[in-house]
Amino acid sequence: MTTFRSRVHYINKKVYDLYDKPKEGDVYVIVNKAWDGWVKIGMAVDAEDRLNSYQTSSPLRDYVLLHSSPFKDRRRAEAEAHKKAETLAE
């Protein structure tokens, strides 16, 4: 008989496996004029789709995708983008 804890472990593993599979995708920069100086550097399989998810939280639809680039390993590229932005901010 399977325990509740082992089922939860199994489900968590499946979710993480799905998350880890697509390495390719976009690294993007999103801004919103409502928050001066706020910049979101992130990663997604599709930057336009991510922008649309931000827009749903804003009645003004005022988020702007400043830049996006495709990468074979979006996680590594996003980490590098954060480091570069940190260096520029110093």
Side-chain angles (χ1 to χ4, degrees):
M1 185 165 153
T2 308
T3 66
F4 175 76
R5 193 171 271 176
S6 65
R7 282 188 213 154
V8 168
H9 176 74
Y10 173 79
I11 291 169
N12 283 340
K13 183 175 178 349
K14 288 296 182 187
V15 168
Y16 287 124
D17 287 349
L18 288 172
Y19 177 78
D20 285 338
K21 279 191 181 198
K23 290 190 176 218
E24 293 182 0
D26 299 332
V27 173
Y28 61 84
V29 177
I30 292 177
V31 297
N32 187 318
K33 65 183 176 186
W35 296 285
D36 189 35
W38 178 82
V39 177
K40 170 62 176 161
I41 298 172
M43 65 174 171
V45 172
D46 181 327
E48 290 287 339
D49 187 50
R50 182 59 52 91
L51 175 66
N52 289 337
S53 69
Y54 274 93
Q55 301 295 24
T56 61
S57 67
S58 173
L60 301 176
R61 305 294 191 251
D62 51 358
Y63 288 93
V64 176
L65 181 63
L66 283 184
H67 181 76
S68 72
S69 293
F71 291 92
K72 289 191 185 276
D73 187 342
R74 63 191 162 123
R75 287 177 184 78
R76 178 176 290 178
E78 183 205 21
E80 290 174 15
H82 278 283
K83 285 179 191 174
K84 190 168 213 168
E86 220 172 272
T87 302
L88 293 173
E90 293 175 346

